Each structure stands twice: as structure tokens, then as C-alpha cells.
């Protein structure tokens, strides 16, 4: 028998989420963001699911190369740009486009021959203070890009929001608009939060990530309220059921004490599989559809569960750690993290199973 821990990927949910993005941003082109191994869902797999997108955004050259090797012909954009001159020299032949966010990249680009010309996405730092040129630098960088023979004529103008909330987003949007007012080029600004809440920030291209995977970018609205369906379900089975007595302690460090005589269960799932070790006692899971609570610290391959509310639970029963009936957003809150981190933590770990292909 195989170990029952597995990640189930619902391909139809992915296609429906992309459709939902198109409803939120009907007049925009869509750059589906599939960095970090497609938020832990598997790069090549997800590229197929999102083949109706207009482009893919990835973090680095290695990810772009994996896509080309898998036969993906769609436009690919490097969100952090190229890291070396050697990478830059390979972009044109592979039809990979790149963000330009700092002067060293610009200098390398100016050395590039016209035969290897590439498409550039000029990144402007409008307030997040991560990547991008300062607004004062933008005019000069833009004209240097325009005159570089290794850069194709059309320049994309881009920024990234630190938050989808006021006043921060409005300040960033205003600064972007004033910085780019005299420059020709398509605008690319919004990630999931702004796609849903800020039609005024849609520009020409949108860059959805989280929402494509069926997760809500907001603390106060669920994915289902937004018309999104999680692609990923984390599943396993009960591998042990036993009786424990009042006062007995459970797990490493004995952080949880049985308040009465009770049944406890063990699930084949742990932090080695990507389940968060910091999930608190009380974090929910579903056993045969009934809510049960995590007790004690998750260990590497196993975790323990309070079976008082699942009196019929037995070895071999299905356990859902997160998925369509139990949002990963809720598990993230119980582990003091964000859903992005939990999804990315799945990459290359558990066994993946695809459904609804
Ligand atoms: C990750 C990323 C996105 C997608 O953000 P979500 O919040 O997941 O929608 C968009 N743009 C850039 C530059 C990113 O790094």
C-alpha cells in the first residue's frame, strides 16, 4: 500500500478560475503568474490548465526554460528579469521577455546586439520598495531602452502594489499615472487583489496569481464569495485510532493534554509533506466530512487529531487537511501564516494526483 498523503489537483477548477479572472478584467490581457512552481501546484501541469492566458509570468530563467522544454510556446515574462549577461543572451532565441528593474540590467541590455533583441517590461517602484526604478529615473531609463538596438520598440510599463487597500493603492496608482503620462507603452499593474477590487488599476495587462489557484486575496471575503474554487486539496488517511486517558499528553513536547478519556487519531501527514508545523492545536480538518481538531505539534510525517466529534472514525478513513470544503486560508490563519506560503510549501513534496482533466 502507498502512503496515503497526497495533493489532489482539480484541473477544471483552474480553468474556471481563469474564466473568472476574465470576467473581472474583460478588456485586459492576462499574464498568469506561475512562479514558485505555480504556487506549489506544478509548473508544467498548471501551464496546460492556463493555456487560455495571454502570457506566463515566472520568477527566473530556469522556470522559463522548463516551460519551453515542456513545449510551451506562449509568451513568458521573467518577473525579476535576467540575473546575468549569459541568461540575457539566451532570451531572444527562446522568445522570453524580461522585466528591467535596475541599472545593471540596463547596461547589459545596451550591449545586446539587434539580432538578439528582446521585449522589455520597465518596472517602476511606486511605493512597495522592492523591485523597480525610482520615478525620477524612469524617463531616462525609458529613452535609453528606446535607443538600445537590443530592445524591441514596444515597451511595457509596469508596477506592483504593496496592498490593494486605500490609501496605499491610490497613492501608488497616482504616482504610476503621473510617472508614465508622457511615455508610450502598455500598462501592467494589478495582481489578484487589485483585479477584484480596483477596475481603475486594470491597465492593459493584469497579473493574477493567487486567485487563479482559487484562493481569496482578502481576509474578509472567502474564495467562494468571489466565485473562485481552490485547485489544490491536501488529503490523507487515518492510520491509527487509540484510546487516551484524562491527563495524558500528546505529541513531541507534550504540548496538549487530554481533558478527559477520549479517542485520538493519527493522520499520515506532517511538516515533511508541507503541512505547517506551527498549526495550533484546534486547527480544523475534515474526517469523512466531519470537522475534527488537530492536537499537539505536527511531526515530520504524522499529526494527531481529537476524535471526540468523530466517534465512528476508523483506520483508513479519508482526511482533508485543506481544499474545497476547508479553505487553506483558514489553515493559514491557524498557523499564523498566509495561504501563499502553505501552497508553495507543497512543491515537489507529496504525491500529486490530477482530477477533472
Ligand atoms: C507574485 C506576483 C503577482 C501575483 O500576485 P497575486 O497576489 O498572487 O495575485 C503579480 N505580479 C508580480 C510582480 C508578482 O511578483
Amino acid at each position: 500500500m502507498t502512503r496515503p498523503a497526497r495533493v489532489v489537483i482539480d484541473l477544471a477548477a483552474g480553468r474556471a478560475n481563469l474564466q473568472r479572472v476574465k470576467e473581472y478584467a474583460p478588456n485586459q490581457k492576462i499574464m498568469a503568474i506561475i512562479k514558485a512552481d505555480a504556487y506549489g501546484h506544478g509548473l508544467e501541469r498548471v501551464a496546460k490548465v492556463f493555456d487560455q492566458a495571454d502570457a506566463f509570468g515566472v520568477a527566473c530563467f530556469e522556470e522559463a526554460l522548463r516551460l519551453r522544454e515542456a513545449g510551451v510556446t506562449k509568451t513568458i515574462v521573467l518577473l525579476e528579469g535576467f540575473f546575468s549577461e549569459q541568461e540575457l543572451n539566451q532570451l531572444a532565441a527562446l522568445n522570453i521577455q524580461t522585466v528591467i528593474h535596475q541599472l545593471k540590467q540596463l547596461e547589459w541590455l545596451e550591449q545586446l546586439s539587434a539580432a538578439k533583441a528582446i521585449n522589455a517590461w520597465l518596472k517602476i517602484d511606486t511605493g512597495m520598495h522592492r523591485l523597480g526604478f525610482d520615478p525620477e529615473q524612469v524617463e531616462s531609463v525609458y529613452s535609453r531602452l528606446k535607443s538600445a538596438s537590443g530592445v524591441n520598440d514596444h515597451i511595457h510599463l509596469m508596477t506592483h502594489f504593496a496592498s490593494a487597500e486605500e490609501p496605499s493603492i491610490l497613492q501608488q496608482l497616482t504616482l504610476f499615472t503621473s510617472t508614465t503620462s508622457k511615455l508610450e507603452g502598455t500598462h501592467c499593474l494589478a495582481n489578484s487583489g487589485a483585479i477584484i477590487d480596483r477596475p481603475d488599476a486594470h491597465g492593459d495587462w493584469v497579473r493574477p496569481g493567487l486567485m487563479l489557484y482559487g484562493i481569496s486575496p482578502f481576509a474578509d471575503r472567502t474564495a467562494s464569495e468571489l466565485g473562485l474554487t481552490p485547485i489544490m486539496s491536501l488529503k490523507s488517511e487515518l492510520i491509527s485510532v487509540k484510546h487516551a486517558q484524562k491527563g495524558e499528553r500528546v505529541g513531541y513536547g507534550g504540548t496538549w493534554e487530554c481533558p478527559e478519556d477520549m479517542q485520538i487519531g493519527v493522520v499520515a501527514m506532517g511538516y515533511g509533506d508541507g503541512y505547517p508545523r506551527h498549526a495550533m492545536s484546534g486547527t480544523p480538518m475534515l474526517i469523512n466530512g466531519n470537522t475534527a481538531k488537530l492536537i499537539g505539534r505536527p511531526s515530520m510525517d504524522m499529526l494527531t487529531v481529537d476524535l471526540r466529534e468523530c466517534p465512528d472514525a476508523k483506520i483508513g478513513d479519508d482526511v482533508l487537511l485543506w481544499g474545497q470544503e476547508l479553505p487553506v486560508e483558514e489553515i493559514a490563519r491557524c498557523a499564523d501564516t498566509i495561504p501563499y506560503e502553505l501552497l508553495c510549501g507543497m512543491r515537489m513534496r507529496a504525491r500529486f494526483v490530477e482530477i477533472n482533466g
Side-chain angles (χ1 to χ4, degrees), residues 33 35 39 79 123 130 158 160 191-192 207-210 340:
I33 303 300
K35 65 194 182 197
Y39 290 46
L79 293 173
K123 180 92 175 258
R130 193 175 62 179
M158 179 174 163
H160 192 54
N191 62 340
S192 298
R207 301 190 307 269
L210 196 64
Y340 297 82

Side-chain angles (χ1 to χ4, degrees), residues 302-315:
M302 287 174 276
L303 51 80
T304 37
V305 57
D306 178 346
L307 292 179
R308 283 177 293 176
E309 281 159 54
C310 310
D312 303 324
K314 57 187 186 312
I315 291 173

Side-chain angles (χ1 to χ4, degrees), residues 40-59:
H41 293 65
L43 186 67
E44 292 85 355
R45 168 186 302 120
V46 163
K48 271 186 232 147
V49 176
F50 298 150
D51 75 343
Q52 296 302 307
D54 300 287
F56 289 136
V58 298

